Amino acid sequence: MSEKRYTKREGFKIPSIPLTYKHAIPVSKTEKFWKGLAEGKIYATRCRICGSLYFPPQADCSNCRGGDMEWVEVPEEGVLVTFTKVYARPQGYEELDPYIIAIVEAGDVRVMGWVMNINDESKIKIGSKVKIKPVYIEKHGKYIVGFYV
Amino acid sequence: MRRVAVVGVGMSAFGVRNDVTIQELAWEAVGEALDDSGLEQKDIELSVVGTVNTRGYELMPAVVVNEYSGLTGRGPVRVEAACATGSAALWTAYSAVASGQVDIAIAIGVEKMNEVDTATSLAVGGRAGNYLWEFHMYGTTFPAYYAFYATAHMQKFGTTEEQMAMVAVKNHRYASRNPKAHFQFEVTLEEVLKSRPIAWPLKLLDCSPISDGAAAAVLASEDVARKITDTPVWIEAIGYSSDTSNFTRRPHYLGLEATRKAAEMAYRRAGIEPRQVEVAEVHDCFTIAEIMAYEDLGWVEKGKGGTFIAEGQSELGGKVSVNLSGGLKAKGHPLGATGLAQIYELVKQLREERERGRQAPLRNYLALSHNVGGTGHYAYVTILRR
């Protein structure tokens, strides 16, 4: 193996004036979804005019341009489509242990969520049946979608 | 539409560049591109500045870059298309020249990524999908998104971690011969396979580094190009497409539909077949991405990308010589600069000006760049011919 040559140039620096963003995210049009999680339900939306199904839920139909949507529940079971285990955690998730994110096909929608009952990624198989239900993440004070293989 | 040529290119050294500000870094590329074209700032009618700059303290950097480059009054138009920003800048400058609005334009791509720490950088990158529905809830990271592809590709087609590692070995080998690369050292298959997990099944050496860098290209209309250079490199076509912001709404996780569509447009407009391409720079932000690119760009059938690398088909002198610069993987991936750094490399390849051990053998003088934004959110495919 050759010597490890790489480009790394450092120099005199001064700190910037820190800038912190703390956004208030307007979720009034999808309020039922956010409140539904706390009640154990996962909602999608369906257009009453053209039948298009949306997950994540949205209030406007980008297919027929209609705005008449109904809330429908995502099935409680699905099939695992793909997954990863996140070892290098981003800011805001550093306090948590490495976590497994998966994508699950549930009826006619696909849902992202965390696999809650298996920690060893080598034990997870694409195509497995999973149960889908909201779970409370204590450290973040938030509900997310959980998967149980 | 008029024919458009690249008449000058420039590129800074890629890597950790904590010695310079964004405008000083951009100038390294702009100055070289002007020298290369034999033009001066007063000849440039439009500047396009591509930068993502979500990690920067200079929140409106285009005018800062433009002023420092002596281009005040000539543009700038600022563009952003995530990791495909450099190609979006190229497309914008190309369109202005092709349409006849200007005769000479410059596309500048620049990114500073090392002024914040790695955790912050990961958090910014992880928001490149759809913040509310993905990062906010699940802590997605950029490697995690490409890991979704890797897991699905491995399961469906039997692609192996060894085959992915071979991409890293190949691209590091060429980067070791590129004095402007971030990583100028070789790695072994074993080192890649034993590097620490980042987002399973991707390991540290499957990932492109967090790099600073700049690149620029001067474009001219056919009349002007023929007057000022003996070696114009023609932009035959630029294809583009996009995909959903929500990762869960993608049709599948076995390749990038945006790449497939952008390639189809580029090949059609250039009037060429995929197999005619001799040298290419593809978007290998992660090793799996290069394997999928072989397939989505039409060099090998879907699912056979792992075999393509294992058989050496993408090595120098193979069916198509891929990422002789070291690619994003080892040359580095400063988001806004990457697409234009690909053009820099291919122009040098087509002019046969590369270092020994990484100059592609050419007969048709046809090159392709493939630049993806986000996790397949954007794709640009550019065909160049000398």
Side-chain angles (χ1 to χ4, degrees):
Chain A
M1 210 195 83
S2 66
E3 172 203 353
K4 283 212 170 5
R5 269 186 302 138
Y6 50 88
T7 306
K8 184 168 166 56
R9 299 184 194 163
E10 296 291 346
F12 180 64
K13 295 170 207 164
I14 55 171
S16 72
I17 293 170
L19 173 66
T20 307
Y21 288 129
K22 190 94 185 166
H23 303 95
I25 306 173
V27 291
S28 62
K29 289 198 170 191
T30 52
E31 191 175 343
K32 192 171 173 77
F33 170 84
W34 301 101
K35 291 191 168 163
L37 289 178
E39 294 156 8
K41 294 184 190 304
I42 301 163
Y43 287 107
T45 53
R46 180 160 48 209
C47 175
R48 286 199 179 95
I49 300 162
C50 76
S52 294
L53 189 61
Y54 292 97
F55 191 87
Q58 58 185 58
D60 305 288
C61 182
S62 35
N63 181 46
C64 74
R65 290 183 277 149
D68 188 11
M69 306 291 262
E70 62 181 339
W71 290 93
V72 293
E73 275 187 59
V74 169
E76 289 173 4
E77 272 191 13
V79 175
L80 200 141
V81 177
T82 191
F83 66 96
T84 181
K85 183 169 182 178
V86 179
Y87 286 88
R89 277 98 73 204
Q91 188 188 69
Y93 288 82
E94 293 149 312
E95 305 285 296
L96 301 168
D97 290 331
Y99 43 88
I100 295 174
I101 315 176
I103 294 171
V104 164
E105 197 152 273
D108 294 326
V109 296
R110 286 209 213 97
V111 182
M112 191 178 276
W114 278 6
V115 173
M116 301 308 297
N117 65 334
I118 296 184
N119 196 32
D120 179 357
E121 63 271 31
S122 70
K123 299 268 192 306
I124 300 178
K125 293 276 174 289
I126 287 175
S128 302
K129 280 213 172 94
V130 301
K131 288 224 179 304
I132 309 167
K133 64 177 184 197
V135 55
Y136 187 68
I137 304 297
E138 191 102 37
K139 279 185 179 157
H140 279 184
K142 74 183 181 194
Y143 284 91
I144 64 168
V145 172
F147 297 138
Y148 300 83
V149 180
Chain B
M1 290 273 282
R2 306 191 294 175
R3 284 188 91 191
V4 178
V6 183
V7 297
V9 287
M11 178 183 157
S12 75
F14 279 15
V16 176
R17 294 297 311 275
N18 287 333
D19 56 329
V20 283
T21 62
I22 190 168
Q23 62 268 34
E24 291 163 351
L25 185 59
W27 172 247
E28 293 181 19
V30 173
E32 187 189 339
L34 288 171
D35 288 347
D36 188 45
S37 67
L39 296 171
E40 293 173 34
Q41 284 99 329
K42 66 173 172 50
D43 302 315
I44 308 285
E45 295 165 275
L46 173 72
S47 74
V48 181
V49 178
T51 183
V52 178
N53 197 47
T54 40
R55 295 161 176 83
Y57 55 85
E58 192 71 80
L59 297 187
M60 296 195 293
V63 286
V64 179
V65 165
N66 217 49
E67 179 197 313
Y68 200 84
S69 299
L71 290 165
T72 297
R74 300 154 204 289
V77 177
R78 183 195 174 173
V79 298
E80 183 274 315
C83 323
T85 292
S87 291
L90 181 75
W91 182 87
T92 307
Y94 164 81
S95 300
V97 177
S99 68
Q101 286 198 75
V102 300
D103 286 328
I104 302 174
I106 189 167
I108 305 165
V110 61
E111 205 72 41
K112 288 281 286 167
M113 301 180 71
N114 283 290
E115 289 164 0
V116 294
D117 60 28
T118 302
T120 307
S121 212
L122 277 169
V124 172
R127 293 170 195 233
N130 186 304
Y131 167 80
L132 182 60
W133 298 106
E134 296 179 358
F135 180 84
H136 180 82
M137 295 185 81
Y138 305 110
T140 43
T141 62
F142 222 71
Y145 281 112
Y146 273 90
F148 287 139
Y149 284 113
T151 309
H153 208 275
M154 286 165 71
Q155 162 89 13
K156 173 86 175 176
F157 301 121
T159 304
T160 64
E161 292 180 59
E162 285 78 8
Q163 288 169 337
M164 292 193 273
M166 285 173 194
V167 173
V169 171
K170 170 178 78 67
N171 294 354
H172 270 267
R173 187 186 320 122
Y174 297 127
S176 75
R177 299 165 191 170
N178 181 356
K180 287 190 174 181
H182 189 160
F183 293 154
Q184 297 166 37
F185 57 86
E186 296 196 41
V187 294
T188 64
L189 200 66
E190 199 183 16
E191 283 176 304
V192 181
L193 291 170
K194 285 192 170 163
S195 60
R196 70 185 165 89
I198 296 295
W200 187 90
L202 299 180
K203 294 161 283 291
L204 182 67
L205 290 173
D206 284 303
C207 308
S208 54
I210 297 171
S211 314
D212 309 314
V218 180
L219 310 187
S221 62
E222 181 165 15
D223 291 355
V224 173
R226 292 209 188 275
K227 274 181 215 147
I228 63 172
T229 177
D230 296 329
T231 53
V233 169
W234 303 101
I235 298 178
E236 296 287 299
I238 305 179
Y240 58 89
S241 191
S242 60
D243 213 329
T244 59
S245 77
N246 275 291
F247 199 73
T248 50
R249 289 181 178 162
R250 299 288 170 82
H252 56 78
Y253 305 106
L254 302 169
L256 305 183
E257 282 301 302
T259 294
R260 218 179 44 71
K261 290 174 186 166
E264 202 177 272
M265 185 192 290
Y267 289 135
R268 190 181 66 240
R269 290 185 174 179
I272 67 161
E273 297 291 323
R275 60 180 165 73
Q276 290 176 262
V277 173
E278 294 169 300
V279 58
E281 289 286 304
V282 311
H283 198 91
D284 60 329
C285 48
F286 298 93
T287 52
I288 183 64
E290 181 165 323
I291 287 176
M292 295 194 301
Y294 301 149
E295 302 165 358
D296 295 334
L297 294 167
W299 297 326
V300 66
E301 69 182 278
K302 182 49 67 191
K304 296 281 206 280
T307 313
F308 199 72
I309 178 76
E311 288 175 351
Q313 308 276 19
S314 54
E315 295 278 355
L316 189 146
K319 267 190 178 160
V320 51
S321 304
V322 177
N323 285 338
L324 300 181
S325 68
L328 284 59
K329 171 67 202 81
K331 177 184 60 185
H333 180 28
L335 314 179
T338 285
L340 286 160
Q342 293 179 323
I343 298 301
Y344 172 90
E345 174 66 21
L346 293 173
V347 165
K348 296 273 184 183
Q349 287 284 347
L350 290 172
R351 291 192 204 149
E352 299 177 307
E353 292 173 357
R354 294 285 66 180
E355 292 82 3
R356 234 168 50 132
R358 65 183 205 91
Q359 171 63 53
L362 301 166
R363 283 192 325 206
N364 307 319
Y365 292 86
L366 262 179
L368 175 148
S369 79
H370 162 243
N371 191 194
V372 176
T375 60
H377 295 104
Y378 303 85
Y380 287 84
V381 172
T382 302
I383 312 279
L384 299 173
R385 189 199 295 266
R386 182 177 153 194

